[in-house]
Amino acid sequence: MATIIETRGLTKRYGRLTAVADLNLQVEEGAVYGFVGPNGAGKTTTMRILATLLRPTAGEAWVAGHSVLKDRRGVRRAIGYMPDFFGVYGDMKVWEYLDFFAACYEIPAPTRRGLVDDLLELVDLAHRRDDYVDALSRGMKQRLCLARALAHDPQVLILDEPASGLDPRARVEIRELLRELQAMGKTIFVSSHILSEIEEVCTHIGVIEAGRLVAAGTLEEMRQRIQAQRVVRIGLMARAEETMAWLEGQEGVLEVEPVEPNGAGDLRVTLAGGDETLAQLLSGLVGAGFQVTAFYEETGNLEDVFMRLTKGIVS
Amino acid sequence: MIERWQAIFDHPILWLELRRIHRKRWWPGRRFFLFYPVLLGAALGCGVMSMLDDSLGTRLAALVTSVPLVCLVGVASWLLNFALPWIAPTLTATSIARERELGTFDLLRATLLTERSIVLGKLGGCLARLWPGILTLALLAPFQVLWVVAGGSSGLSSVFLLADSMLDPGRPWMWSSLLLAGLAGLLRPWGDLALHATVGLFVSALSRSSGKAIAVSYGAILATRVAFYLLTSLLNIALLALPVALLDTPEAAMNELLMMPALTSLGMVLVEFVGAALLVWAAVWWLKRT
Ligand SMILES: Nc1ncnc2c1ncn2[C@@H]1O[C@H](COP(=O)(O)OP(=O)(O)O)[C@@H](O)[C@H]1O
Ligand SMILES: [Mg+2]
């Protein structure tokens, strides 16, 4: 698949602070790329550079083949940008608001009317067409802003923390909308400081930390990274403490802890190694005469990897 | 070509501002503008009367009717001359800075709008908000010429003065300097308006908060005004003192005396327009740079 967003050695300094340091990103066409990092990691800075609102100190970036330094109009035509913090013209009606931005994207007046209705339909705001923007809820304003970013049918969407500050319901609605947009063939570059918020819709994840890309890949690749450290849950009939002592002596076992604090129930074992280690452990357990009722791997949570990757680099 | 014109009239920011003006009903009633034809009629009447008959009685009548007329024109245009240029910066200084404060400016900049069309659209929008004042000032302009030409004394007497001096071929200095002074007086409020509005706009393009933008704009405008005043006075003194010292004929010196203040004030108005254009250009440049 073709690369649609690419950055090479992208750097942005604010005085002595380096917000983005030598960032090399590649986003494939049609992907939903989750750009994850803690607050202050440089997500907004990167996105603003990609949206041609900020000039990088060094490095280069291309969106849909247009350089953000040399062909800003080309880039602007290709992207729809939604900033993390944005205002709306509250004294305008919803349709007027979209009509205004469609005009800003040089869409001729006769085609704008139908377009506005289509956009409102897409973001499920058709029933609020003639209301003032001020009367909308926060989630609705967010969707309106998204509709605004779609006015010129861009190939790429750059969404900066679209779910932040929304209630769970509005968050689900945004997520559904992202799925719909992906189905429409748009590439979506979306940031968040909470991985689980966007994990479900992403096909790719890039983790940024203090301006550097610390990990990037498809969702599968990222999952496999976690599985280098596997967590196995073992259910036992009895003799939990004995089992714990036995397990701690086994090869590849990193940590054993009871699931419940009193130790009566199941055990959680963290181990390093592949499937063989896992099989050996099970047969060893049975061979040693422990009565095993359950033995299964707990699926790793991406949030855990994320926490591990970004551990304490940013204070 | 047609597309070009369409693009100009389909300017989104201008339409946005016009829509706002329309919604907020930011204009005086239509009746407000009825005073213009009334004024025009009265002025015509005076002129015709004084042309038809040269007797003392009709002259007196014309003078009596012209007094309220002149007062109205004078006061209204004086007020507008002063008010418009000093209100405009409040509007322009808040325009772009306010968008920044609200967080709408990035949305605007991320679109295909060029920096130039954002700046010009905002300027147009602010001037459009002043449209009742601008229209009145434009309508009063013909009366104002007379007013200015007369040196602020009496509108009608200056017409006679002008007519007299035009008919006298021996005194070309006289009427040409009167004409120049009239032109300068006519252009002066527009020059002030353009300069003050664009100072506000430029400061607005640079600043983050609209409050600060307003304060800085008015400070800058005051400083410019003082500088202009000093410059004009110095120029006048220099231009008047030099010829009087160099030329021995008092007649020539008199002509110079008449001409110079008119020329310097016209020059200042030109400087204002050029400054305004430069400020717009600088605002666009700044927005492009960042
Ligand atoms: N205009 C600015 N001036 C100075 N520092 C800035 C500016 N914008 C952002 N920063 C700094 O750059 C770093 C990255 O910020 P940002 O890109 O907003 O992070 P994120 O969006 O990931 O939370 C932060 O440390 C922030 O304080
Ligand atoms: Mg951010």
Side-chain angles (χ1 to χ4, degrees):
Chain A
M1 264 199 166
T3 303
I4 197 157
I5 300 179
E6 187 174 4
T7 72
R8 257 184 237 154
L10 200 67
T11 303
K12 177 71 193 179
R13 283 189 209 96
Y14 292 111
R16 284 165 66 202
L17 178 97
T18 306
V20 175
D22 196 24
L23 190 74
N24 295 302
L25 255 179
Q26 277 176 4
V27 179
E28 281 169 16
E29 201 171 346
V32 179
Y33 194 102
F35 196 44
V36 189
N39 286 329
K43 303 181 296 291
T44 300
T45 306
T46 309
M47 291 184 140
R48 280 171 59 85
I49 292 173
L50 289 177
T52 72
L53 298 175
L54 201 65
R55 286 186 196 273
T57 314
E60 198 23 322
W62 294 266
V63 179
H66 305 283
S67 157
V68 297
L69 295 179
K70 296 184 195 97
D71 184 11
R72 302 218 275 174
R73 262 181 99 71
V75 173
R76 287 176 187 184
R77 216 182 278 278
I79 62 166
Y81 170 64
M82 185 159 103
D84 50 351
F85 163 75
F86 63 91
V88 286
Y89 300 118
D91 58 349
M92 291 173 85
K93 290 180 176 165
V94 168
W95 76 267
E96 286 174 343
Y97 184 77
L98 287 181
D99 186 74
F100 168 70
F101 278 103
C104 291
Y105 280 111
E106 296 176 356
I107 294 161
T111 44
R112 287 210 292 266
R113 256 199 130 63
L115 175 73
V116 166
D117 289 339
D118 289 349
L119 287 172
L120 286 175
E121 202 65 52
L122 179 70
V123 298
D124 201 15
L125 281 174
H127 59 295
R128 307 298 295 262
R129 188 178 182 280
D130 291 313
D131 287 356
Y132 282 99
V133 174
D134 256 348
L136 300 184
S137 73
R138 206 193 142 130
M140 286 176 177
K141 279 181 188 158
Q142 202 97 3
R143 296 206 310 268
L144 181 65
C145 190
L146 191 55
R148 179 206 62 85
L150 291 166
H152 56 305
D153 195 22
Q155 291 169 269
V156 182
L157 283 172
I158 296 181
L159 311 176
D160 199 353
E161 313 220 0
S164 73
L166 295 184
D167 61 38
R169 192 191 159 76
R171 228 174 263 190
V172 170
E173 281 166 354
I174 288 275
R175 214 178 292 157
E176 290 304 315
L177 208 51
L178 291 191
R179 284 219 182 88
E180 217 167 307
L181 290 170
Q182 191 202 7
M184 285 164 68
K186 307 220 176 289
T187 309
I188 302 173
F189 187 60
V190 53
S191 80
S192 177
H193 62 280
I194 306 167
L195 181 66
S196 55
E197 221 172 58
I198 52 171
E199 186 186 335
E200 283 173 47
V201 283
C202 290
T203 59
H204 293 69
I205 301 259
V207 181
I208 184 174
E209 170 64 44
R212 288 172 197 285
L213 200 67
V214 289
T218 63
L219 207 58
E220 278 315 302
E221 285 166 3
M222 296 301 274
R223 284 235 161 86
Q224 266 156 28
R225 282 205 188 196
I226 328 166
Q227 281 160 5
Q229 263 188 27
R230 312 175 97 160
V231 178
V232 176
R233 187 156 167 163
I234 301 171
L236 291 164
M237 290 285 283
R239 300 201 292 160
E241 261 130 79
E242 250 176 87
T243 323
M244 264 174 84
W246 182 84
L247 278 169
E248 264 155 17
Q250 297 304 303
E251 187 198 327
V253 173
L254 300 174
E255 198 185 351
V256 186
E257 53 174 4
V259 174
E260 279 167 38
N262 61 17
D266 300 355
L267 298 177
R268 184 177 285 129
V269 182
T270 311
L271 70 159
D275 286 345
E276 288 132 62
T277 325
L278 214 63
Q280 267 170 24
L281 194 70
L282 181 57
S283 58
L285 267 174
V286 177
F290 297 112
Q291 287 171 301
V292 179
T293 58
F295 188 92
Y296 60 90
E297 193 171 344
E298 288 189 336
T299 39
N301 187 346
L302 269 187
E303 200 77 48
D304 297 340
V305 202
F306 176 60
M307 291 308 285
R308 228 172 285 144
L309 284 170
T310 63
K311 192 162 41 195
I313 306 179
V314 163
S315 53
Chain B
M1 194 63 205
I2 290 168
E3 272 170 22
R4 246 190 112 87
W5 279 106
Q6 263 178 354
I8 289 171
F9 285 115
D10 198 20
H11 195 292
I13 294 183
L14 204 54
W15 273 112
L16 175 79
E17 299 293 343
L18 290 180
R19 211 170 246 159
R20 282 190 175 140
I21 294 167
H22 181 75
R23 187 156 288 155
K24 286 185 183 144
R25 309 201 174 282
W26 247 61
W27 64 68
R30 222 172 291 148
R31 243 169 276 156
F32 178 78
F33 294 101
L34 277 179
F35 83 96
Y36 183 70
V38 171
L39 222 57
L40 198 67
L44 272 176
C46 291
V48 168
M49 256 173 21
S50 53
M51 285 238 295
L52 282 179
D53 195 348
D54 217 23
S55 76
L56 193 68
T58 38
R59 280 232 166 178
L60 206 64
L63 196 68
V64 169
T65 45
S66 74
V67 167
L69 183 79
V70 167
C71 283
L72 188 63
V73 173
V75 170
S77 58
W78 181 82
L79 267 179
L80 282 173
N81 279 357
F82 183 77
L84 277 185
W86 289 95
I87 291 173
T90 311
L91 301 178
T92 53
T94 47
S95 60
I96 296 174
R98 185 95 192 105
E99 295 254 356
R100 276 217 190 87
E101 272 177 354
L102 288 174
T104 51
F105 194 55
D106 275 351
L107 296 182
L108 222 58
R109 277 214 306 155
T111 66
L112 291 179
L113 286 177
T114 59
E115 284 79 2
R116 194 179 55 184
S117 75
I118 291 178
V119 167
L120 289 180
K122 283 283 165 201
L123 183 62
C126 292
L127 294 182
R129 271 212 253 177
L130 293 171
W131 78 267
I134 288 178
L135 185 62
T136 311
L137 196 61
L139 294 178
L140 285 178
F143 301 101
Q144 219 185 333
V145 189
L146 309 180
W147 181 253
V148 173
V149 166
S153 56
S154 153
L156 284 180
S157 62
S158 74
V159 185
F160 304 133
L161 188 63
L162 190 63
D164 277 356
S165 59
M166 267 176 161
L167 294 176
D168 183 356
R171 298 168 69 194
W173 286 101
M174 185 74 177
W175 60 265
S176 52
S177 64
L178 278 174
L179 270 182
L180 276 180
L183 191 63
L186 197 63
L187 291 176
R188 179 72 190 273
W190 304 107
D192 285 357
L193 179 63
L195 184 70
H196 293 194
T198 49
V199 166
L201 195 68
F202 177 68
V203 173
S204 191
L206 262 64
S207 56
R208 287 188 182 285
S209 92
S210 48
K212 218 185 279 174
I214 290 180
V216 172
S217 307
Y218 278 105
I221 290 167
L222 270 175
T224 325
R225 282 268 79 98
V226 171
F228 265 42
Y229 177 74
L230 290 178
L231 198 65
T232 331
S233 311
L234 277 176
L235 256 167
N236 276 341
I237 290 168
L239 288 172
L240 289 177
L242 279 180
V244 171
L246 294 178
L247 301 171
D248 40 3
T249 47
E251 179 71 13
M254 264 308 291
N255 292 336
E256 292 275 348
L257 272 174
L258 280 169
M259 199 69 169
M260 283 312 153
L263 271 182
T264 45
S265 54
L266 200 61
M268 281 302 156
V269 172
L270 277 181
V271 167
E272 282 184 327
F273 279 118
V274 171
L278 279 177
L279 281 168
V280 169
W281 179 81
V284 172
W285 173 82
W286 176 263
L287 290 183
K288 267 192 187 151
R289 211 189 64 121
T290 45

